Amino acid sequence: MKLLVLNGPNLNFIGIREPEIYGKETYNDLCDYIKKYAEANNIEIEIKQSNHEGYLVDFIHQAYFDKVDGIIINPGAYTHTSIALLDAIKSVNIKTIEVHLSDVTKREDFRQVSYLRSACVKSIMGKGFLGYTEAIDYFLNK
Ligand code: DQA
């Protein structure tokens, strides 16, 4: 089992940005947490982050050539704007789960739209780091 975890803009700033929303743990803490869980479950996992929409599209395309079994994506603010990411997910036909640290349904109106959601098999939000491991569990049929 090979999974790609993809994090979008400003996620590299968790621990610093709006800790009352995203918590005090850093991006490195998040990566360590995901890697440990993947290791314990014998999964090959790659974690990538970019603040640039086009790079995220490229990473999704690369997942196709790398024969990735599943994508876990936190698209950050691109969730609410990006048709390009929606099209990328549809293009590669790889099962994808959308994850958000915060519960976007309880936040501003502009966060109520997710352009990607219709192409995802599941959306997990408001569970902090746990959302990522819940997404891994989905791919493990746990
Ligand atoms: C986020 C929610 C988005 O609305 C926001 O733009 C982010 C982070 C989350 O993880 O809660 O950058 O995706």
Side-chain angles (χ1 to χ4, degrees):
M1 164 86 67
K2 198 159 132 184
L3 299 178
L4 169 67
V5 176
L6 211 48
N7 288 303
N10 302 306
L11 283 154
N12 54 320
F13 255 66
I14 58 167
I16 302 165
R17 72 182 284 211
E18 301 176 275
E20 65 288 358
I21 298 174
Y22 300 112
K24 287 186 180 150
E25 289 181 285
T26 66
Y27 187 67
N28 275 344
D29 293 335
L30 174 63
C31 293
D32 287 347
Y33 171 79
I34 295 168
K35 279 182 205 153
K36 267 191 200 134
Y37 194 76
E39 233 173 76
N41 286 282
N42 284 316
I43 296 169
E44 200 184 317
I45 210 150
E46 200 169 2
I47 307 172
K48 294 180 178 174
Q49 190 274 333
S50 179
N51 295 317
H52 306 277
E53 188 176 17
Y55 284 144
L56 294 167
V57 170
D58 288 344
F59 291 151
I60 293 169
H61 291 174
Q62 191 56 45
Y64 174 85
F65 297 110
D66 293 344
K67 299 191 170 22
V68 162
D69 300 299
I71 299 173
I72 296 165
I73 185 167
N74 182 344
Y78 289 138
T79 309
H80 319 298
T81 61
S82 182
I83 299 167
L85 288 178
L86 167 68
D87 286 347
I89 292 167
K90 283 182 163 177
S91 300
V92 296
N93 206 21
I94 298 171
K95 273 191 186 163
T96 299
I97 298 181
E98 173 194 18
V99 171
H100 299 285
L101 295 166
S102 66
D103 184 354
V104 283
T105 64
K106 302 219 166 84
R107 298 183 63 193
E108 301 95 325
D109 285 351
F110 58 82
R111 293 186 208 275
Q112 301 314 309
V113 173
S114 167
Y115 279 89
L116 286 85
R117 197 155 297 159
S118 65
C120 293
V121 291
K122 194 175 165 70
S123 297
I124 301 168
M125 54 195 87
K127 296 188 174 171
F129 287 10
L130 273 175
Y132 289 83
T133 47
E134 194 178 310
I136 292 173
D137 284 346
Y138 175 93
F139 287 114
L140 289 171
N141 293 316
K142 270 202 202 173

